[in-house]
Amino acid sequence: MSIADIIGYTAGAITSLTFLPQVIKTWKEKSAKDVSMLMFVIAALNEVLWIVYGILLNNWVIIATNAVVLSMSLCMIYLKLRYDRNNGN
Amino acid sequence: MSIADIIGYTAGAITSLTFLPQVIKTWKEKSAKDVSMLMFVIAALNEVLWIVYGILLNNWVIIATNAVVLSMSLCMIYLKLRYDRNNGN
């Protein structure tokens, strides 16, 4: 495995967890007023595109990475809907 | 260009703009209390990794896409620092 491979896999692994701190923060604070719904809707739709791309290329790294990001985006959409309604935003 | 290529380029283009709605929302509402700083710090550091990866592979699509996401992440870090201080968070 080359240095480029190692950097690529590391970056890919971190990318898949980028939304996690936001999910945890929103879950703990029960508020998502300042969080952009549009960002997570675009991200979720785009992850579906990435997963289709991964399927067409039969590339499981792309499929798995984007499935993780998709699940976190859907989590954030759910939390945003729930807390915005609870908080009357 | 195959269908897979078209889907891949489309997904890549959308990915580069994922953070834009958050930057615009935060800029307009001048509040980022509910936004996770850690998410954007991780994203920014990770974009640097991706750019290094793009340089090692001499792949300008990876370099350009991630340079856009890096600039938006840095924008969000700046806006978060600024508005959290202004709003006393």
Side-chain angles (χ1 to χ4, degrees):
Chain A
M1 193 183 277
S2 69
I3 295 213
D5 286 342
I6 293 169
I7 292 175
Y9 281 118
T10 307
I14 297 173
T15 295
S16 72
L17 297 174
T18 302
F19 286 165
L20 186 60
Q22 182 65 61
V23 172
I24 293 171
K25 180 180 169 74
T26 304
W27 175 260
K28 278 164 70 177
E29 299 184 359
K30 310 214 179 309
S31 173
K33 181 178 66 68
D34 299 332
V35 175
S36 167
M37 176 63 117
L38 188 58
M39 173 169 74
F40 287 101
V41 170
I42 289 175
L45 293 174
N46 196 34
E47 294 314 322
V48 174
L49 271 188
W50 275 118
I51 290 170
V52 171
Y53 182 66
I55 291 170
L56 289 173
L57 265 59
N58 205 16
N59 181 320
W60 281 95
V61 175
I62 294 179
I63 296 170
T65 304
N66 288 285
V68 173
V69 184
L70 174 60
S71 67
M72 290 198 198
S73 301
L74 294 175
C75 257
M76 271 309 300
I77 290 170
Y78 168 75
L79 291 175
K80 168 91 179 151
L81 286 172
R82 178 172 161 183
Y83 294 137
D84 276 9
R85 198 171 47 193
N86 286 358
N87 300 333
N89 295 324
Chain B
M1 193 183 274
S2 70
I3 294 212
D5 286 341
I6 293 169
I7 292 176
Y9 281 117
T10 306
I14 297 173
T15 295
S16 72
L17 297 174
T18 302
F19 285 164
L20 186 59
Q22 182 66 61
V23 172
I24 292 172
K25 179 180 170 74
T26 303
W27 175 260
K28 279 164 70 177
E29 300 184 357
K30 309 214 179 309
S31 172
K33 181 178 66 67
D34 299 333
V35 174
S36 168
M37 176 64 117
L38 187 58
M39 172 169 76
F40 288 101
V41 170
I42 290 176
L45 293 174
N46 196 34
E47 295 313 323
V48 175
L49 271 188
W50 275 118
I51 290 168
V52 171
Y53 181 65
I55 291 169
L56 288 173
L57 264 60
N58 205 16
N59 181 320
W60 280 96
V61 175
I62 295 178
I63 296 170
T65 304
N66 288 286
V68 173
V69 184
L70 175 59
S71 67
M72 291 198 197
S73 301
L74 294 175
C75 256
M76 271 310 300
I77 291 170
Y78 168 75
L79 291 175
K80 168 92 178 152
L81 285 172
R82 176 172 163 185
Y83 294 137
D84 274 11
R85 198 171 46 194
N86 285 359
N87 301 332
N89 294 322

